[in-house]
Amino acid sequence: MAELSTRHLMGIKQLTKEDIDLIFNTADNFKEVINRPIKKVPSLRDITIANLFFENSTRTKLSFELAEKRLSADVINFSASASSLSKGETLIDTVNNILAMKVDMVVMRHPNPGAPIFLSKHINANIINAGDGAHEHPTQALLDAYSIREKLGQVAGKKVVIVGDILHSRVALSNIFCLQKLGAKVMVCGPPTLIPKYIETLGVEVSYQLDRALEWADIAMMLRIQLERQGKQNEVKYFPSLREYHNLYGLTLERLERLNSKLVVMHPGPINRGVEISSELADSAYSIILNQVENGVAIRMAALYLLASSEKIED
Amino acid sequence: MNGVYLPPSMNNKRILLDQTHINLTIKRLCFQLIENHNDFSESVLIGLQPRGIYLAERIQAELSRILTDQEIHLGSLDTTFFRDDFRRRDSPLIPNKTKIDFIIEEKKVILIDDVLYTGRTIRSGLDAMLAYGRPQLVELLVLIDRRYSRHLPIEPNYVGETVDSVASERVEAIWQETDGKDQVILKSQENG
């Protein structure tokens, strides 16, 4: 009891409901810590953490780094663009070189799905997956569910619609696992080209009409249209134009008011204002986007703390 | 004060203080506090989580009863993230709630815990407390002081009862809120 069932955080799929509850309860304490005048605790002072970002990231990297520093860990940062990776070094060689400098934990984002799982079979540090391709992004899903719990009291029984680019989204997959484990109902909504085939086998409902989905839901989780993953000119496009996408699947204040809805609106960021969500809605009282960011630090502190405490110091 | 004499016991559980004794002790501790502090406008009570808070609440209630015209500030402080045995135990340290609604800058702080043993919890409490300001003075109040067992140079200012016991024994304060009654018990580890 009171211990995670795993020594790595690969994905929500590997976590139990008890693990998630433990992370949430621990995050409650860290949320109190980061609102103190002095926001730092010494728990991880003897631990070194490497942040390995083989793919671009701003907020996840900042959030992890802040969480690590608030726990007094030593932090080293690595980003792929400035590394030997471009000189042809393999992932294992890169990571082993970093571990040879006595690093205890690795936080990794990588464009290939399964990269952290592969790594965990070859190295001996705790690994946190900070996003692997279109596979999982567990800390994002945890902070999303935690934000729902904070806003609405509990996650169980709530209805959540995830809107947008489900096909390319690791956030969507992790959220589906996480919300379902906590007893919420999940629907995905978007243009048919951006909804993966057979996604209903995960136990989610599918809708292609945003208004209908919004009427059903308590919470709308808007996803970013991943412009960088859309086809370039002359390649396949998933929808004709951003303007058409916005008209059909963009969430606006006017649309919510027309539906007379009390939805809670979430977004993992970064926002494309005027595409999946209108500017005035993103800044309105419906939105808990900035609460998500604040909770992100607390959740990551909890995950780091619990994983670090799974490693005993031997005499 | 003399230590309580503990004869070898056939039982593995002995009651050191019962409800009546605890109530009397709390009253005495409160009068000692009043003697030293007199005015509580510059003094605050901080109970250490998880089990010091029940004693702290009783002290606050008793002080408020005696000093009807004064507000007695009480906070609870969790020391988990400041402990020195992180990653040295079999199971992770699970934190409790910290709730301090006042600034302790330039205040006289009375830290309150149930049992003082090695002094390590108090050490982490002192560190944790500093996140809320720089107090003018810090005192320590405990219900039970297990003498001759300190790992650190920490001594209490107010002691309910002094107990001499060996390391294999365990002194535990149980409270109405968690166990249904107020009692201090001594457990020996031999058979459970």
Side-chain angles (χ1 to χ4, degrees), chain A residues 26 30 122 149 225 235:
Chain A
T26 312
F30 285 118
H122 295 90
R149 170 183 178 262
I225 286 300
E235 286 181 30

Side-chain angles (χ1 to χ4, degrees), chain B residues 6 12 14-17 51 114-117 143-147 149 161-174 183-189:
Chain B
L6 303 171
N12 61 348
R14 248 182 59 112
I15 297 172
L16 297 182
L17 298 182
R51 302 189 69 92
D114 54 355
V115 181
L116 175 61
Y117 181 40
L143 184 61
I144 301 293
D145 174 14
R146 295 183 65 175
R147 269 201 302 197
S149 55
E161 198 73 59
T162 308
V163 171
D164 297 340
S165 55
V166 293
S168 67
E169 291 166 329
R170 202 181 139 71
V171 179
E172 201 176 308
I174 61 175
Q183 230 171 38
V184 178
I185 47 182
L186 176 92
K187 287 176 172 170
S188 46
Q189 304 284 50

Side-chain angles (χ1 to χ4, degrees), chain A residues 21 23 40 92 94 106 112 145 180 194 238 241 253 285 287:
Chain A
D21 287 337
I23 293 172
K40 196 162 171 156
I92 288 187
T94 304
V106 172
N112 293 342
Q180 287 182 338
L194 289 175
Y238 294 95
S241 72
L253 206 51
S287 147

Side-chain angles (χ1 to χ4, degrees), chain A residues 70-129:
Chain A
R70 296 262 151 95
L71 287 166
S72 304
D74 291 318
V75 181
I76 53 172
N77 285 305
F78 165 99
S79 54
S81 53
S83 74
S84 292
L85 225 66
S86 47
K87 300 174 189 164
E89 197 179 41
T90 65
L91 175 62
I92 288 187
D93 282 339
T94 304
V95 174
N96 270 331
N97 272 283
I98 291 167
L99 291 182
M101 302 175 209
K102 307 298 172 202
V103 168
D104 304 290
M105 295 177 86
V106 172
V107 174
M108 185 169 83
R109 168 166 290 188
H110 200 278
N112 293 342
I117 295 174
F118 168 75
L119 201 61
S120 72
K121 292 179 179 155
H122 295 90
I123 68 167
N124 194 29
N126 303 97
I127 300 172
I128 294 189
N129 178 7

